[in-house]
Amino acid sequence: MTQCLNPDCLKPNPPETIFCQSCGEKLVLNERYRPLKIIGQGGFGRTFQAVDEYKPSKPFCVIKQFFPQAQGTKYLSKAAELFAQEAQRLDGLGRHPQIPELLAYFTQDNRQYLVQEFIDGQNLQQELEESGAFDQSQVVELLKSLLPVLEFIHSQQVIHQNWISRSSTRCLLLHW
């Protein structure tokens, strides 16, 4: 399935479709990133699991679409500026084994997008819902696994909010 990115449509389409069958919008971003499904949504936008069709292995990636919920020119302008700053921060952080790599940042159809490495796994909320509350040793183990990336991020002067995937103990820096 290919997910339409038009905020007024968001209809699913057959896998190899080029244009949305409902609204006619182009489905592949930047001639390479095909959105498969919505995996998150918040105040600043939506997050989609996608595939990078440019690479032979067709790896999964994550598309973050800037789409703020609040209205008003001043608010939208500031939100767009913050979104661009997040892209710059991620790019400036370079590669760290616990931070998903920034693959691209661009504007298409008057919408801003970030593309990041896809990290498979559950977030902390999903883990708690599935397994219940952590005991003391599990909490200590989790916190110890996060210390290296927190130290690195703080050394780069970045303020952050984390969603934690226990399976990979990677922190997603962008938050909505």
Side-chain angles (χ1 to χ4, degrees):
M1 173 172 45
T2 298
Q3 178 73 53
C4 181
L5 293 169
N6 179 343
D8 297 321
C9 179
L10 296 174
K11 301 277 196 254
N13 290 269
E16 301 301 317
T17 310
I18 306 289
F19 296 97
C20 178
Q21 294 177 341
S22 295
C23 71
E25 184 143 334
K26 191 171 185 180
L27 294 173
V28 179
L29 289 175
N30 218 22
E31 305 299 325
R32 72 186 285 177
Y33 304 110
R34 181 178 294 275
L36 304 176
K37 64 182 177 178
I38 296 174
I39 57 174
Q41 185 169 309
F44 281 103
R46 292 185 181 94
T47 306
F48 301 83
Q49 182 178 0
V51 65
D52 184 347
E53 293 187 335
Y54 188 74
K55 292 187 176 182
S57 63
K58 307 237 186 280
F60 287 125
C61 56
V62 172
I63 296 170
K64 296 190 177 195
Q65 178 190 56
F66 174 67
F67 184 71
Q69 302 300 314
Q71 300 299 316
T73 306
K74 187 175 181 179
Y75 174 82
L76 292 176
S77 176
K78 183 62 176 176
E81 179 184 326
L82 291 172
F83 189 80
Q85 285 177 5
E86 286 196 70
Q88 290 172 346
R89 284 285 191 190
L90 279 171
D91 195 38
L93 288 173
R95 295 194 58 120
H96 185 280
Q98 288 179 278
I99 300 173
E101 181 182 0
L102 176 67
L103 303 174
Y105 169 68
F106 55 91
T107 300
Q108 182 172 312
D109 300 323
N110 295 316
R111 292 186 205 105
Q112 292 172 284
Y113 294 95
L114 284 170
V115 181
Q116 285 184 277
E117 172 187 14
F118 176 76
I119 306 299
D120 197 14
Q122 294 181 313
N123 64 33
L124 184 57
Q125 180 179 349
Q126 292 167 331
E127 185 72 25
L128 290 172
E129 288 170 359
E130 185 177 294
S131 303
F134 291 175
D135 64 32
Q136 183 177 352
S137 65
Q138 290 172 306
V139 171
V140 169
E141 178 187 326
L142 178 63
L143 293 175
K144 282 182 179 178
S145 70
L146 293 175
L147 290 176
V149 72
L150 291 174
E151 180 179 31
F152 174 74
I153 292 168
H154 287 163
S155 74
Q156 303 297 309
Q157 316 269 303
V158 174
I159 298 170
H160 55 88
Q161 178 178 353
N162 299 306
W163 279 278
I164 302 164
S165 168
R166 264 192 40 156
S167 62
S168 61
T169 52
R170 292 189 182 199
C171 301
L172 301 181
L173 296 178
L174 295 180
H175 57 282
W176 298 338

